[in-house]
Amino acid sequence: MRVLVVGAGATGGAFGTRLQEAGREVTYLVRPRRAEALRRDGIRFVAPDGDRSHRVRAESMITSDRPYDLVVIAVKAPGLDQALVTAAEGIGPDTVVLPFLNGMDHLDVLRQRWPGQVLGGLVKIVATVDDTGAVVQMTPLCGMTVGTLDGSPLPPQVAGILDVPGVDLTVAADIVGQLWEKWVFIAAAGVVTCLLRNDVGSILAAGGEAHIRQAVAETEAVARAAGHPVGGASHAQSLELLTEPGSSFTSSLYRDLQHGRAQEAEHILGALAARADALGMETPLLDLTLTQIRAQHLSTAAAGAQ
């Protein structure tokens, strides 16, 4: 099977490398400058099991008239619209589309465009792209969970191509429920660290545990009202991560905001707030965090226009 990985950042680069090392035929679809660098230098992947580089196929536009069998979308939500424009020519009627994005709204967009071809997927990995362009996996954690959106069996050929060394693959019977669980956790983590502007350990030391628990309760209440209650194990894990004394944990949303990078506040927090509003629910901490982030965005834009 031919695999197209849209995006060669931390997620796309790490999982794309694992697929390529297992003998899969992988092509990266990336922006022109990244494509040029990948064609020239290959992709360097630094992980706990070794530091290696590979020659790769990299394109900035679809050049083949033969559709891909599997298209993995591994971009952040702000880049989704452009990614779909460039990837569309590689998606045929039998192509399976597997997105790894946060939130849920992207699934509505994809299913409307390619009905019956979209899977649900989420990944767990601690990785980044360093200043040299290398993809760095910082811990052994490298998990992928996939499943059909209607609960039907996953096509065996898809599981076969994704089941590779270095990746802990799980086929989920209820991928939608798991996507909701991940969404409300990263939303709660975003509320806690963006609103209080610090890491978990410092927030706890300042007496913020009650606010942390309220943020978790707010986001999980939205999932419950939407028909996807968070399971006990997931709830316990969220509280464990967000109430660990001395923890240096911060959300990726907070880190992106701190460094002025493209961020997913509207796709993670804004979309959840919109669902809460549609369900008639009050989410004061979530709303306050969104107001703060939006205000910061407006002031930064105004300063840049002067």
Side-chain angles (χ1 to χ4, degrees):
M1 294 180 71
R2 300 170 69 239
V3 181
L4 181 69
V5 178
V6 185
T11 298
F15 286 97
T17 298
R18 297 289 186 184
L19 290 171
Q20 183 177 348
E21 289 180 340
R24 311 303 191 249
E25 183 181 333
V26 176
T27 299
Y28 292 97
L29 183 64
V30 293
R31 293 178 179 175
R33 287 181 62 184
R34 180 67 165 156
E36 181 182 356
L38 289 174
R39 287 193 294 264
R40 182 185 65 242
D41 304 325
I43 192 165
R44 182 183 174 200
F45 182 50
V46 183
D49 62 345
D51 179 346
R52 61 275 210 183
S53 296
H54 297 290
R55 306 299 301 175
V56 298
R57 298 183 182 91
E59 306 289 350
S60 57
M61 60 184 295
I62 300 297
T63 58
S64 172
D65 58 1
R66 179 181 158 208
Y68 289 86
D69 299 295
L70 175 66
V71 172
V72 176
I73 302 178
V75 298
K76 287 193 172 184
L80 178 61
D81 289 344
Q82 183 57 46
L84 296 186
V85 170
T86 54
E89 291 297 320
I91 300 176
D94 297 318
T95 301
V96 175
V97 180
L98 176 59
F100 292 132
L101 282 82
N102 293 319
M104 298 291 292
D105 287 0
H106 65 280
L107 292 176
D108 296 332
V109 173
L110 293 170
R111 284 190 291 185
Q112 183 176 11
R113 189 155 186 181
W114 294 289
Q117 297 177 236
V118 182
L119 299 177
L122 60 89
V123 294
K124 294 181 179 179
I125 187 170
V126 182
T128 189
V129 176
D130 69 14
D131 293 339
T132 70
V135 176
V136 182
Q137 180 185 329
M138 293 175 282
T139 74
L141 177 66
C142 187
M144 177 189 298
T145 302
V146 298
T148 60
L149 298 174
D150 61 3
S152 60
L154 185 74
Q157 67 271 24
V158 174
I161 200 169
L162 295 174
D163 190 7
V164 298
V167 176
D168 183 11
L169 178 68
T170 300
V171 177
D174 179 20
I175 189 64
V176 174
Q178 294 204 25
L179 286 168
W180 267 97
E181 288 188 343
K182 181 181 180 182
W183 186 14
V184 298
F185 167 71
I186 61 176
V191 167
V192 169
T193 57
C194 293
L195 183 60
L196 300 176
R197 293 187 171 275
N198 227 303
D199 60 55
V200 161
S202 298
I203 293 168
L204 288 168
E209 182 172 344
H211 300 306
I212 293 174
R213 290 182 179 274
Q214 182 182 345
V216 172
E218 275 188 17
T219 60
E220 290 188 354
V222 178
R224 184 166 56 252
H228 300 282
V230 172
S234 181
H235 171 74
Q237 185 178 51
S238 295
L239 287 181
E240 181 181 358
L241 287 169
L242 295 177
T243 60
E244 181 184 352
S247 171
S248 61
F249 175 84
T250 59
S251 69
S252 59
L253 175 56
Y254 175 69
R255 295 193 298 272
D256 287 342
L257 287 167
Q258 288 293 97
H259 292 93
R261 298 190 290 253
Q263 42 78 20
E264 299 179 301
E266 293 300 333
H267 305 85
I268 296 173
L269 304 183
L272 191 64
R275 302 225 181 187
D277 185 62
L279 292 164
M281 304 185 64
E282 294 186 357
T283 50
L285 288 183
L286 175 60
D287 296 342
L288 189 58
T289 306
L290 267 173
T291 300
Q292 182 192 84
I293 292 173
R294 288 167 176 169
Q296 179 180 339
H297 176 75
L298 290 171
S299 64
T300 301
Q306 291 178 356

